[in-house]
């Protein structure tokens, strides 16, 4: 451990949270404003507002009742946002300021399930789980209509786009669409053609046509003059949203004529364009593999020319409306984060594997997100090659994928491999060159996969798809699941950690066993080679991290401190320190030399599965089951510099204080001592003032000239001094000045004065009793002195 001794000056002492990638959308409604600049979505008790260009969250609006938001809508003029909570309260927001302008009771007997503004932005319709539809005037602040008669939950409400017609449409659990007249306060018609839940209502620009979609796999075109169905289009999928497209040619969408065309989003996971007249699908997106791609929402911002769709995996995809070219991707919710890695030669991106077959790549500077499809089941682990352009993933689908990021930050799958018979739970890349990788699986085997030499530069195989990889070697390594594999820095050794409580060391590339590391009481979650020494670190479910010597397989050190399983371990500070993460949600920084836990980082609320350190060793990345990915910055140097600056400032101030006391400038000295926030230094100043021949007047004049905040600090210091009989005289002197010259009302207005008084009283009484006893003793001594009868001394005879 010679390197450890050499690296004492490089030890880290602390990390601070620099950035968090948190969930902002957990399902429910999404909406764009008319300009396409802002995205509104529900996340539990909040409505989050995102800036579309940067992906950053601008506002997070939460009602005072802190209950889940059940519905919201933004007015057509983008000025008013109304939210409804589970507590049956409606809130009207000035959303750009983040303030509530009005709060009122919904009067529904069950939560509001849906709401919609009218075209003038003055009327708001709410549909409740109680089957009632209510209309509110948001300008005059009163309820205008109450429509009853719908059975079950109201799923949809929508106003007619022509405000002069005063029509409101609603759909409930009985699958029919009701048309309400606001003028007559009655139900004009019931449109009954769907036989499953109606999922969307959308209107043509002229207001003469309405399109409804349903989970019965049909879309229906309605004539709003006669309130009759004119066309039923079978779309062969359960439709969650349908959007009428502008009646103008769009060749890229297959729209060649001016007739009515609409777009559907549903459980097939693709956007499709249909011609209403012929019922033909004229354009369909390419279908990508993997579950969770079903579309749950789709909305069109006509003025901005943008189309927003949402997948069942809570990914939000923003398209250019005329061509369906993907503009932006947002990952709304990552569920459990299972692994994280830095990407790029300068760690400019991070890749996240969550409880999903998709991978998410975030650019740290701009928050831009890419969603990668390649696996068909949950991705379990990641690793990245030394240069940072090439990375690998493994999944429950028993396969591995190799991905490459180009200089523009775009990622593509360049190779795939399969061969394991169970989930592939761990993967590790060669440390020196992009030549091979190793995987470990639940089938208790390790496979070594060589990479083609051209792979780092060529993106596809001979047929234009990813290159197919073949395993070069397969070795049965353990009797239980292999949870972790690690390759030594020289690419010549392989370590495996298993649920069977052991770690093993193997040669590469032939996979011959060199030895076994035994000593953990439970299964191992992670193994990691030191970058400097011939040492292996292991993290176990027994709550410990152990260091082992590679020469004789002996245990060198054990680190205890986590209250639960340690899931990941990584070397930092050139192998002299360790970072570990655990099921307790904590990340701990250890110094190897003295077994000391230097710092515990507590920012996650659940198991921290992912841990990775940057190339420059100045950042760390963690991902946990709480859906959060946190970027940590090493703040050791900054804190040390700050501490050094503070020490230097204290020395300068102390010198200045000594000069002021020498010059008898007591007011400046006392103010300076209080600013240092050191009670003992302030006491020294008070004592210096009391040594002055005119101490009483000087102390009084100095204390009374202090600012109020300085007097409050002085009173707090008096509480400390008063507890000690040696310093109580100074405390009582200051108290005497304050009590004689400050009005009681002013003293009671001091910050923390009640607590100070409660602390002063018992000690002051004790000092008073001690003085009383001393005074009694002194009086008794005086009495004795005066009553002593001294014998008269004989007078010497006068000399003759």
């Amino acid at each position: 451990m010679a390197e450890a001794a050499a690296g004492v000056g490089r030890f880290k002492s602390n990390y601070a949270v620099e950035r968090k990638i948190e969930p902002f959308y957990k399902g429910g409604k999404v909406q764009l404003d008319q300009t396409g600049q802002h995205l509104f979505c529900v996340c539990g008790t909040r409505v989050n507002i995102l800036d579309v260009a940067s992906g950053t969250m601008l506002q997070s609006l939460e009602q005072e009742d802190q209950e889940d938001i059940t519905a919201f809508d933004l007015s057509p003029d983008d000025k008013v946002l109304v939210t409804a909570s589970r507590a049956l309260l409606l809130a009207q927001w000035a959303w750009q300021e983040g303030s509530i302008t009005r709060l009122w009771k919904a009067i529904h007997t069950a939560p509001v399930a849906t709401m919609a503004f009218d075209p003038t932005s003055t009327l708001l319709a709410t549909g409740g789980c109680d089957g009632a539809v209510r209309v509110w005037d948001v300008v005059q602040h009163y309820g205008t209509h109450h429509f009853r008669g719908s059975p079950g939950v109201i799923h949809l409400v929508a106003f007619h786009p022509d405000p002069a017609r005063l029509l409101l449409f609603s759909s409930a659990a009985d699958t029919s669409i009701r048309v309400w007249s606001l003028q007559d306060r009655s139900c004009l018609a019931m449109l009954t053609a769907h036989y499953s839940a109606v999922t969307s209502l959308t209107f043509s620009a002229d207001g003469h046509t309405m399109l409804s979609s349903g989970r019965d796999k049909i879309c229906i075109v309605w004539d709003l003059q006669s309130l009759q169905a004119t066309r039923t289009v079978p779309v062969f999928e359960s439709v969650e949203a349908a959007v009428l497209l502008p009646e103008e040619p769009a060749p890229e969408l297959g729209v060649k004529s001016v007739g009515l065309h609409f777009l559907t989003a549903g459980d097939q996971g693709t956007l499709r364009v249909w011609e209403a007249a012929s019922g033909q699908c004229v354009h369909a997106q390419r279908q990508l593999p993997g579950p969770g791609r079903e579309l749950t929402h789709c909305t069109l911002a006509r003025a901005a020319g943008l189309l927003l769709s949402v997948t069942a995996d809570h990914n939000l995809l923003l398209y250019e409306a005329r061509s369906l070219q993907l503009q932006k991707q947002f990952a709304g919710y990552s569920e459990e984060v299972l692994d994280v890695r830095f990407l790029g030669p300068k760690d400019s991106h991070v890749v996240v594997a969550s409880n999903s077959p998709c991978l998410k790549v975030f650019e740290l500077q701009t928050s831009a997100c890419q969603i990668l499809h390649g696996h068909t089941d949950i991705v379990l682990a990641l690793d990245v090659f030394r240069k940072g352009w090439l990375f690998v993933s493994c999944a429950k689908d028993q396969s591995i994928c190799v991905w490459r990021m180009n200089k523009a930050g775009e990622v593509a799958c360049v190779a795939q491999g399969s061969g394991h018979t169970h989930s592939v739970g761990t993967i590790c890349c060669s440390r020196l060159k992009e030549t091979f990788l190793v995987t470990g699986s639940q089938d208790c085997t390790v496979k070594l996969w060589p990479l083609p030499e051209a792979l780092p530069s060529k993106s596809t195989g001979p047929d234009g798809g990813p290159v197919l990889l073949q395993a070069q070697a397969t070795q049965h390594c353990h009797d239980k699941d292999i949870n972790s594999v690690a390759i030594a820095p020289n690419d010549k050794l392989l370590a495996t950690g298993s649920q069977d409580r052991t770690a093993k060391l193997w040669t590469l590339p032939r996979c011959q066993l060199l030895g076994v590391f035994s000593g953990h009481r439970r299964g191992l979650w992670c193994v990691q080679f030191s970058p400097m020494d011939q040492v292996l670190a292991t993290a176990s479910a027994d709550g410990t991290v152990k260091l082992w010597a590679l020469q004789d397989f002996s245990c060198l050190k054990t680190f205890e401190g986590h209250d639960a399983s340690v899931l990941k371990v990584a070397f930092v500070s050139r192998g002299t320190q360790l970072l570990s993460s655990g099921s307790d949600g904590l990340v701990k920084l250890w110094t190897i030399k003295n077994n000391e836990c230097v710092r515990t980082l507590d920012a996650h609320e659940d198991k921290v599965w992912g841990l990775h350190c940057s190339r420059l060793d100045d950042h760390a990345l963690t991902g946990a089951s709480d859906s959060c990915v946190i970027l940590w910055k090493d703040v050791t140097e900054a804190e040390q510099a700050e501490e050094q600056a503070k020490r230097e400032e204290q020395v300068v101030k102390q010198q200045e204080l000594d000069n002021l006391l020498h010059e008898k400038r007591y007011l400046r000295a006392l103010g300076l001592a209080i600013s240092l926030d050191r009670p003992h230094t302030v006491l020294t100043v008070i004592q210096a003032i009391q040594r002055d021949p005119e101490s009483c007047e000087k102390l009084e004049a100095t204390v009374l000239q202090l600012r109020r905040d300085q007097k409050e600090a002085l009173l707090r210091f008096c509480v400390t001094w008063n507890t000690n009989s040696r310093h109580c005289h100074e405390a009582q002197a200051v108290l005497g000045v304050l009590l004689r010259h400050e009005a009681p009302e002013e003293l009671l207005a001091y910050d923390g004065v009640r607590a100070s008084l409660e602390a002063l009283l018992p000690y002051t009484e004790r000092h008073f009793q001690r003085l009383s006893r001393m005074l009694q003793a002194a009086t008794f001594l005086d009495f004795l002195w005066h009553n002593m009868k001294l014998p008269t001394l004989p007078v010497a005879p006068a000399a003759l």
Side-chain angles (χ1 to χ4, degrees):
M1 307 294 280
E3 188 65 33
V8 172
R10 295 190 297 269
F11 285 161
K12 300 180 190 303
S13 63
N14 198 10
Y15 284 88
V17 175
E18 182 174 279
R19 172 94 193 277
K20 268 190 178 186
I21 301 173
E22 294 182 282
F24 63 84
Y25 170 67
K26 293 183 178 178
K29 183 177 177 177
V30 291
Q31 189 174 357
L32 284 166
D33 65 358
Q34 294 299 318
T35 61
Q37 294 178 337
H38 300 103
L39 175 66
F40 298 75
C41 55
V42 181
C43 187
T45 61
R46 301 171 183 272
V47 169
N48 291 325
I49 305 169
L50 269 73
D51 177 63
V52 171
S54 66
T56 54
M57 195 184 298
L58 299 176
Q59 294 276 3
S60 188
L61 310 178
E62 184 176 34
Q63 291 187 196
E64 293 171 6
D65 51 34
Q66 295 186 334
E67 291 277 353
D68 282 353
I69 302 293
T70 57
F72 79 90
D73 198 45
L74 179 70
S75 62
D77 61 8
D78 291 341
K79 290 182 180 176
V80 181
L81 178 76
V82 176
T83 59
S85 75
R86 198 169 289 283
L88 306 182
L89 283 176
L90 294 170
Q92 187 172 322
W93 297 83
W95 60 270
Q96 285 164 321
E97 291 82 39
S99 59
I100 292 179
T101 55
R102 183 180 167 229
L103 196 67
W104 75 100
K105 288 184 180 178
I107 314 180
H108 288 277
T109 57
V112 174
T114 182
M115 63 171 68
F117 272 96
D118 81 325
T120 65
S121 302
T122 57
L123 296 179
L124 175 76
T126 58
C129 294
D130 55 0
V133 177
R134 290 182 176 272
V135 182
W136 310 86
D137 187 318
V138 293
V139 178
Q140 301 296 327
H141 302 160
Y142 68 96
T144 61
H145 297 76
H146 180 197
F147 298 120
R148 280 178 292 195
S150 305
V153 176
I154 304 290
H155 298 296
L156 285 170
V157 287
F159 283 94
H160 191 280
D162 181 359
R165 293 196 63 178
L166 292 173
L167 293 180
L168 175 65
F169 299 80
S170 71
S171 174
D174 63 350
T175 75
S176 60
I177 301 166
R178 285 174 170 76
V179 185
W180 307 92
S181 167
L182 300 183
Q183 203 164 4
D184 301 338
R185 298 178 179 270
S186 64
C187 180
L188 282 185
M190 283 178 62
L191 312 181
T192 55
H194 285 282
Y195 51 89
S196 186
V198 178
T199 52
S200 69
L201 299 173
T202 179
F203 302 89
S204 61
D206 59 12
H208 298 327
T209 307
M210 179 177 76
L211 178 76
S212 64
S213 67
R215 297 199 179 109
D216 49 11
K217 303 187 179 182
I218 59 172
C219 290
I220 300 174
V221 180
W222 303 86
D223 181 353
L224 294 183
Q225 304 289 337
S226 61
L227 295 177
Q228 296 293 320
T230 59
R231 181 79 191 173
T232 299
V233 181
V235 293
F236 313 109
E237 69 169 333
S238 179
V239 181
E240 291 299 324
V243 175
L244 275 171
L245 297 175
E247 294 191 37
E248 55 190 43
E252 293 180 49
L253 299 182
V255 180
K256 295 169 184 173
S257 60
V258 182
L260 200 66
H261 290 76
F262 61 91
L263 180 142
T264 58
D267 59 9
Q268 287 190 12
T270 59
L271 296 173
R272 295 190 292 167
V273 179
W274 303 80
E275 185 179 41
S278 65
Q280 295 295 311
C281 176
V282 294
H283 178 78
Q285 281 183 318
R286 186 170 65 87
Q287 197 154 9
L288 292 169
R293 293 194 48 76
E294 300 89 349
L295 298 175
T296 57
H297 287 80
C298 185
T299 178
L300 177 67
R302 290 180 191 273
L306 292 173
L307 185 84
L308 175 69
S309 71
V310 184
T311 70
D313 266 355
H314 305 107
N315 298 323
L316 288 76
L317 310 174
L318 205 59
Y319 297 94
E320 201 276 311
R322 289 185 57 81
S323 62
L324 290 190
Q325 288 292 317
L326 188 61
Q327 302 282 306
K328 286 267 183 183
Q329 300 179 74
F330 302 99
Y333 182 52
S334 292
E335 296 190 51
E336 258 189 288
V337 176
L338 301 179
D339 210 353
V340 288
R341 286 290 185 278
F342 283 105
L343 284 185
K346 294 183 179 177
D347 298 326
S348 56
H349 294 67
V350 297
V351 57
V352 178
S354 58
N355 205 12
S356 158
C358 305
L359 288 172
K360 301 175 181 81
V361 176
F362 296 91
E363 187 179 359
L364 290 173
Q365 194 173 0
T366 63
S367 302
C369 173
Q370 292 174 69
I371 296 156
L372 310 180
H373 302 276
H375 290 284
T376 56
D377 207 339
I378 292 169
V379 179
L380 297 174
L382 302 164
D383 200 18
V384 62
F385 284 96
R386 188 171 64 91
K387 291 182 180 176
W389 297 113
L390 215 60
F391 68 98
V392 293
S393 60
C394 60
K396 276 189 176 181
D397 60 11
Q398 306 172 16
S399 75
I400 62 170
C401 286
V402 182
W403 308 81
R404 196 181 73 244
M405 185 170 75
N406 63 21
K407 291 185 179 177
E410 296 163 349
V411 180
C413 180
V414 293
Q416 289 179 320
S418 59
H420 283 287
T421 58
H422 283 80
S423 300
V424 188
T426 177
I427 194 163
C428 188
C429 301
S430 62
R431 303 288 97 181
L432 296 176
K433 292 183 178 178
E434 296 163 336
T435 52
F436 72 94
L437 58 96
V438 174
T439 56
S441 167
Q442 281 186 354
D443 60 15
C444 306
T445 67
V446 160
K447 287 184 183 286
L448 187 143
W449 308 78
L451 299 184
E453 284 184 26
L455 192 62
S457 55
K458 287 188 178 178
S459 62
T460 58
D463 60 347
V467 174
L468 292 177
L469 302 178
Q470 295 293 326
Q472 175 185 318
T474 300
Q475 178 68 46
H476 188 279
C477 293
H478 291 270
D479 297 327
K480 289 188 177 178
D481 299 1
I482 296 172
N483 291 331
S484 179
V485 291
I487 296 171
N490 62 1
D491 276 357
K492 291 181 180 177
L493 296 173
L494 171 71
T496 57
S498 167
Q499 205 64 35
D500 65 7
R501 307 179 188 179
T502 66
K504 293 183 180 180
L505 191 66
W506 310 80
T507 61
L508 281 175
R510 300 181 64 186
C511 290
Q512 290 179 319
L513 181 64
L514 293 176
V516 181
F517 304 95
S518 299
H520 281 292
R521 299 188 305 277
R522 297 184 69 183
L524 274 68
W525 281 113
C526 185
V527 292
Q528 199 73 39
F529 283 99
S530 167
M532 294 293 178
D533 303 312
Q534 293 193 2
V535 169
L536 182 77
T538 57
S540 167
D542 62 13
T544 66
V545 175
K546 288 181 183 287
L547 284 188
W548 309 82
L550 298 184
Q551 290 93 341
D552 57 5
F553 307 101
S554 61
C555 181
L556 299 173
K557 286 181 180 286
T558 301
F559 301 88
E560 297 180 276
H562 284 281
D563 294 330
S565 300
V566 186
L567 303 174
K568 278 283 193 297
V569 64
F571 283 91
V572 291
S573 309
R574 296 195 178 186
T576 61
Q577 290 181 291
L578 291 171
L579 273 176
S580 63
S581 66
S583 294
D584 49 12
L586 302 177
V587 178
K588 288 181 179 283
L589 175 65
W590 309 85
T591 299
I592 292 173
K593 187 178 179 184
N594 55 14
N595 274 49
E596 181 189 359
C597 178
V598 181
R599 186 74 59 177
T600 297
L601 310 173
D602 186 6
H604 287 290
E605 297 173 3
D606 210 338
K607 301 179 184 70
V608 185
W609 287 107
L611 172 66
H612 193 222
C613 298
S614 64
R615 283 173 178 73
L616 297 176
D617 205 23
D618 58 345
H619 285 84
L621 190 66
T622 56
S625 296
D626 59 5
S627 308
C628 283
V629 175
I630 297 180
L631 179 67
W632 302 87
K633 184 180 181 181
D634 176 13
V635 292
T636 305
E637 285 188 20
E639 286 187 350
Q640 286 174 349
E642 190 179 336
E643 191 64 35
Q644 180 66 23
K646 276 185 181 177
R647 282 198 294 268
E648 289 173 2
E649 187 185 0
Q650 295 279 14
V651 169
V652 170
K653 283 189 173 180
Q654 188 64 50
Q655 184 60 52
E656 187 183 348
L657 186 64
D658 293 342
N659 294 341
L660 290 170
L661 287 174
H662 182 70
E663 296 165 13
K664 295 189 178 182
R665 294 165 66 186
Y666 296 128
L667 179 62
R668 287 283 307 278
L670 191 58
L672 183 60
I674 291 170
S675 73
L676 288 170
D677 197 29
R678 292 197 304 218
H680 185 72
T681 307
V682 179
L683 179 66
T684 308
V685 176
I686 297 289
Q687 289 170 340
I689 295 172
Q690 287 193 313
R691 284 196 293 271
D692 193 280
E694 300 171 355
S695 61
C696 191
E697 293 82 1
K698 286 276 173 67
L699 180 66
E700 200 170 278
T702 306
V703 170
L704 292 176
Q705 287 182 67
L706 293 173
R707 299 192 310 270
R708 176 168 163 171
D709 61 312
Q710 293 175 322
K711 289 178 184 175
E712 289 171 354
L714 195 57
L715 185 61
R716 286 198 305 275
F717 297 156
C718 285
V719 173
T720 307
W721 305 335
N722 200 46
T723 59
N724 189 330
S725 59
R726 290 170 61 193
H727 306 139
C728 65
H729 302 292
E730 289 83 359
Q732 293 297 327
V734 172
L735 277 172
V737 171
L738 291 173
L739 290 169
R740 280 197 303 273
H741 296 281
E742 293 281 295
E745 297 79 19
E746 286 184 35
L747 279 173
L748 286 170
Y750 279 16
D751 187 36
V753 69
R754 295 185 188 279
S756 298
L757 289 174
E758 286 175 11
L760 282 166
L761 281 171
Y763 284 98
T764 303
E765 286 175 6
R766 191 182 298 176
H767 299 322
F768 184 75
Q769 288 166 5
R770 191 176 69 253
L771 284 171
S772 298
R773 287 195 299 272
M774 196 181 291
L775 190 62
Q776 285 174 358
T779 307
F780 183 64
L781 192 66
D782 192 48
F783 173 75
L784 282 176
W785 172 256
H786 285 294
N787 285 283
M788 277 177 146
K789 294 199 183 274
L790 295 173
T792 309
L793 293 172
V795 179
L800 294 171

